[in-house]
Amino acid sequence: MISTLARPFSVLRDFSLFSLNSLKLESHVEEYVRITSLAQLIEASNFSGPLNFLGGGSNLLLQSRIEGRMLHIGIEGITVTLDDDGRYLVRVGAGENWHKFVMHMLDVGIGGLENLALIPGNVGGAPYQNIGAYGRELSELVHSVEVFDLTTKETRVLPNEECKFSYRGSVFRSNFVPDVIITHVNFLLGRLPLMTEYRDVRESLSGCSPEEIDHNLIADTVIRIRQSKLPDLNKFPNVGSFFKNPILTKREYDRLLGKVDIVGFSQGEMIRVPAARLIDAQKWKGRQVGSVLVWHRQPLVLVNCGGASAEEFLDVAQRVADDVEQHYDIRLLLEPVLMGNKT
């Protein structure tokens, strides 16, 4: 049992989460507490009603009403130590902004995270969904994840293998480790080779010599690519990819090739295909239904044009998924997490 003196925290009632979710959905929670330390988390989690948790709010579909108490995890701090092999062990608070953390690492000369630049959200949400982009997944970089167990009221450290990382998934997104909250993430950086094999990155760097390509140039390239394809969050509220890319067997992939021209990517013995290609093939790119827009440059992204609700997003997502399934016999799965109730 941990006994730690917590700094006082405020409980705000009937609190609006509009500004704390990247889709800018109007949602109210009965009680809201901003958490900045483990001690506060321990004390604030002693609550008899439903407990909910919020990080960067970049992968959430919030419905209009959320019962119970919302703990907004804002634990910050970055520490760096060297291991015996000269690698960097970096401990990061779950409340740190992900992109700012990536750029800070590059500023101090530590590479490895550059392909994941400009991904919205906080550090604590990164292992939850095993974020990945442009040829690199978070699971390649995580040493361990520190969690607070709501049942035992104790902290635990889960090594990489116990996190059970998978494509856009982990043990934290399943039922294998219930009621744990990520407080810190530990990264092991400094030894992975540069990753430039993803098509967009490779093409953008085609005019550069090997000597010119470094961690910073890759980060700048990834940022430029993302900005050219994805909407500005400040102008077009969204959660990034709304659908996961399907993972198929070889037989399923061969059958799909008979219906649409699509490129697959090896995922172990399976093949991952871009959901965006299937959505685009069904002419959804640029279509608007009510206040929800399928982004014209990247159809994986659904945008709130103003005043949309979680139900509207779910309706459009179902229509897109039904259309794709009807034509290709593949069911698209949602990327964001649904939270709350309609009323």
Side-chain angles (χ1 to χ4, degrees):
M1 186 78 174
I2 299 172
S3 178
T4 311
L5 182 63
R7 291 183 179 179
F9 57 83
S10 299
V11 178
L12 304 178
R13 292 177 171 80
D14 193 27
F15 186 79
S16 172
L17 300 171
F18 178 83
S19 65
L20 298 179
N21 74 96
S22 64
L23 263 182
K24 293 297 182 282
L25 300 177
E26 188 56 76
S27 177
H28 283 77
V29 65
E30 288 181 309
E31 293 190 4
Y32 167 89
V33 179
R34 169 102 175 150
I35 301 296
T36 59
S37 70
L38 176 59
Q40 285 185 345
L41 177 57
I42 294 168
E43 187 171 328
S45 64
N46 287 321
F47 180 70
S48 59
L51 277 174
N52 305 278
F53 301 90
L54 178 68
S58 61
N59 196 45
L60 285 178
L61 267 175
L62 296 179
Q63 298 196 96
S64 60
R65 196 73 193 166
I66 298 176
E67 297 179 357
R69 174 176 288 183
M70 176 71 77
L71 302 185
H72 186 187
I73 309 300
I75 299 172
E76 298 180 342
I78 302 173
T79 58
V80 181
T81 56
L82 275 173
D83 71 3
D84 293 338
D85 295 323
R87 296 173 298 180
Y88 299 98
L89 185 61
V90 185
R91 183 177 188 254
V92 194
E96 291 283 352
N97 176 271
W98 174 260
H99 177 67
K100 289 181 180 179
F101 163 59
V102 172
M103 301 312 292
H104 173 71
M105 288 292 96
L106 292 173
D107 287 344
V108 298
I110 300 175
L113 299 163
E114 55 276 354
N115 295 67
L116 306 178
L118 211 63
I119 293 178
N122 289 353
V123 168
Y128 180 83
Q129 63 182 111
N130 187 22
I131 60 172
Y134 300 101
R136 180 136 284 164
E137 284 196 343
L138 187 86
S139 56
E140 302 172 72
L141 307 161
V142 169
H143 174 271
S144 56
V145 177
E146 299 177 34
V147 301
F148 174 64
D149 192 311
L150 293 166
T151 302
T152 65
K153 303 297 182 183
E154 294 179 345
T155 56
R156 287 193 281 145
V157 180
L158 299 182
N160 183 296
E161 59 271 17
E162 290 186 22
C163 296
K164 301 186 185 300
F165 289 118
S166 60
Y167 175 68
R168 298 301 171 269
S170 69
V171 71
F172 310 106
R173 202 169 183 174
S174 69
N175 295 321
F176 295 111
V177 180
D179 300 325
V180 297
I181 306 306
I182 296 173
T183 61
H184 296 82
V185 183
N186 298 303
F187 297 90
L188 192 59
L189 305 175
R191 287 294 179 88
L192 280 177
L194 298 174
M195 173 55 70
T196 60
E197 295 308 306
Y198 194 89
R199 186 185 63 183
D200 289 350
V201 176
R202 185 177 66 249
E203 291 177 354
S204 295
L205 297 175
S206 60
C208 301
S209 67
E211 293 75 24
E212 292 178 284
I213 300 174
D214 60 11
H215 299 290
N216 289 282
L217 180 58
I218 293 174
D220 291 343
T221 301
V222 166
I223 290 170
R224 187 168 62 252
I225 293 170
R226 291 184 70 90
Q227 288 176 333
S228 70
K229 291 185 174 184
L230 303 176
D232 183 345
L233 269 178
N234 296 318
K235 298 178 181 178
F236 305 98
N238 68 89
V239 292
S241 297
F242 212 88
F243 302 96
K244 298 179 182 181
N245 290 322
I247 298 178
L248 311 177
T249 64
K250 177 67 166 57
R251 183 177 180 179
E252 290 170 333
Y253 178 61
D254 289 341
R255 187 164 62 241
L256 179 63
L257 286 177
K259 301 176 181 178
V260 62
D261 181 20
I262 193 168
V263 177
F265 302 88
S266 295
Q267 190 90 16
E269 296 182 356
M270 308 292 279
I271 299 172
R272 175 168 48 86
V273 297
R277 175 71 184 100
L278 302 177
I279 298 170
D280 187 23
Q282 292 310 115
K283 311 299 183 186
W284 277 96
K285 185 187 288 186
R287 287 176 61 178
Q288 183 170 341
V289 180
S291 298
V292 177
L293 169 69
V294 181
W295 189 243
H296 63 283
R297 293 180 181 172
Q298 173 50 274
L300 280 182
V301 177
L302 304 186
V303 170
N304 185 352
C305 295
S309 66
E311 288 69 36
E312 287 182 76
F313 275 96
L314 289 172
D315 175 66
V316 173
Q318 181 164 335
R319 291 173 64 175
V320 171
D322 287 347
D323 195 2
V324 168
E325 184 173 29
Q326 179 180 348
H327 285 83
Y328 307 111
D329 198 27
I330 294 173
R331 188 68 187 178
L332 298 181
L333 301 178
L334 296 188
E335 182 77 43
V337 176
L338 182 66
M339 182 184 294
N341 303 299
K342 296 179 182 179
T343 57

